[in-house]
Amino acid sequence: MPLDQELNEEKEMSFLDHLEELRWHLIRSLIAICVFTIGAFLSAKWIFENIIFAPARPEFPTFKALCRLADLLNQEGLCITDIPFKVQSRNMTGQFTMHIMASFIIGLVVAFPYVCWEIWRFVKPGLQRNERKYSRGAVAAVSVLFFLGISFGFYVIAPWMVYFLANYSISDMVVNEFDITSYVSTVVLLVFGSGLLFQLPVVIYFLTKIGIVSPEFLRKYRKHSIIIILIVAAIVTPPDPLSQMLITIPLYLLFEISILISSGVAKRKAKEEAEELLREQQSSVHPTDITQD
């Protein structure tokens, strides 16, 4: 089908047609999430042993890498060989509830690229041709940043958070025996939240495209952004300074990268506007005027 005819049909779609189209995109996204959620639910034992509880074990890759670093530096104190805490279930429905919750979050994580693709398919027809051109690879960029955030949260923040809180003690009379609902919800939501926070460059890109923010605005309020990042880090992490710093540093680096992205988008928009203005000026000159001159 020719592009012009396709665009005309898209313009002729009514509001209800758009709602119907959105409904089917959402249905397909929910089906994908449900399929992966069921798969995770059926693989519960492997998932809890190798993913959920993995950051609480000394043989976790992060701790093993730290031990190798300790051997190279001849600093045995850096090697973590014991994480003293136990996980208990104090509620009758605790394990079942966490089973469902963990399965849903893992299903959402695995289906995330497909969900982004479905959203992109709904948004794409409403974009202009040049906007489609510059938005190519958006789904890939969002997915890569999401999984980078997931990996950072799982391999960096989660193990250090578990180790810090497991060894934190205000008295020898207190034994750290965490409830499974507290442990699973904290680890799972922390890792998933890290994936969402890593979407900052993409958010800034689109906000710059539609003119809500500019590189000058971001540079002007750079100091304020540090405070906001600290607040966000305090919300998505447990109340310990180590976890908050581990999420604050990469978020600030992402903010600086977002400024560079915003600057590139602003320059491109200025160039396009200048070219458009030049074309309008050229088209406003009548050919007879040029002949008379």
Side-chain angles (χ1 to χ4, degrees):
M1 181 183 295
L3 179 61
D4 294 339
Q5 182 179 351
E6 184 179 341
L7 292 175
N8 288 334
E9 289 184 0
E10 290 168 356
K11 291 180 180 178
E12 293 174 359
M13 290 179 64
S14 66
F15 177 72
L16 292 178
D17 292 332
H18 282 292
L19 284 181
E20 179 67 15
E21 187 72 15
L22 176 61
R23 185 173 75 91
W24 280 108
H25 285 297
L26 293 177
I27 289 174
R28 286 191 290 268
S29 298
L30 289 174
I31 290 174
I33 294 172
C34 289
V35 169
F36 287 113
T37 298
I38 293 172
F41 187 87
L42 297 176
S43 307
K45 185 175 181 61
W46 186 91
I47 288 174
F48 273 84
E49 289 293 328
N50 297 279
I51 298 178
I52 304 297
F53 293 131
R57 296 193 179 95
E59 59 269 19
F60 190 68
T62 302
F63 299 135
K64 292 174 67 176
L66 192 62
C67 288
R68 287 194 291 268
L69 179 62
D71 292 338
L72 291 174
L73 300 178
N74 197 23
Q75 298 289 332
E76 296 182 0
L78 292 176
C79 186
I80 296 173
T81 58
D82 182 41
I83 304 179
F85 81 98
K86 294 181 179 180
V87 177
Q88 297 183 352
S89 180
R90 296 183 177 87
N91 298 320
M92 184 175 294
T93 59
Q95 294 191 58
F96 181 70
T97 302
M98 290 302 100
H99 185 181
I100 295 176
M101 175 187 173
S103 299
F104 174 75
I105 296 296
I106 290 175
L108 182 58
V109 168
V110 177
F112 187 82
Y114 179 79
V115 174
C116 291
W117 182 66
E118 285 289 351
I119 295 173
W120 171 247
R121 288 179 60 197
F122 176 74
V123 174
K124 184 179 178 181
L127 301 177
Q128 298 179 0
R129 185 178 301 179
N130 61 334
E131 291 176 335
R132 296 185 186 185
K133 177 182 176 182
Y134 293 125
S135 299
R136 288 175 181 174
V139 175
V142 169
S143 301
V144 169
L145 286 172
F146 179 74
F147 285 114
L148 280 176
I150 291 290
S151 300
F152 181 81
F154 183 69
Y155 288 105
V156 178
I157 301 179
W160 283 112
M161 176 204 68
V162 171
Y163 177 74
F164 176 83
L165 295 179
N167 287 275
Y168 188 83
S169 176
I170 56 176
S171 173
D172 293 337
M173 297 180 64
V174 181
V175 179
N176 286 329
E177 295 181 350
F178 303 135
D179 188 80
I180 187 173
T181 56
S182 174
Y183 175 85
V184 174
S185 60
T186 300
V187 171
V188 170
L189 294 179
L190 175 62
V191 173
F192 185 74
S194 298
L196 294 181
L197 290 175
F198 268 59
Q199 301 301 313
L200 180 62
V202 177
V203 174
I204 294 297
Y205 173 84
F206 284 105
L207 290 180
T208 305
K209 286 286 292 182
I210 61 180
I212 294 180
V213 300
S214 65
E216 293 77 15
F217 175 85
L218 296 175
R219 293 189 185 100
K220 179 180 178 181
Y221 292 98
R222 180 183 272 117
K223 294 181 180 179
H224 300 78
S225 69
I226 297 175
I227 298 175
I228 295 175
I229 289 172
L230 287 171
I231 294 173
V232 172
I235 293 174
V236 301
T237 60
D240 68 274
L242 179 61
S243 299
Q244 292 175 11
M245 290 305 299
L246 286 174
I247 196 67
T248 297
I249 293 173
L251 275 181
Y252 181 74
L253 293 176
L254 286 173
F255 178 79
E256 292 294 335
I257 294 173
S258 300
I259 294 178
L260 297 177
I261 293 174
S262 178
S263 179
V265 173
K267 290 179 181 179
R268 186 181 298 164
K269 285 180 62 178
K271 182 180 178 181
E272 291 175 354
E273 291 174 358
E275 292 175 350
E276 181 67 23
L277 180 61
L278 180 60
R279 284 195 295 268
E280 291 178 356
Q281 291 176 348
Q282 290 176 347
S283 62
S284 64
V285 178
H286 198 276
T288 55
D289 296 337
I290 299 177
T291 305
Q292 291 175 359
D293 293 340

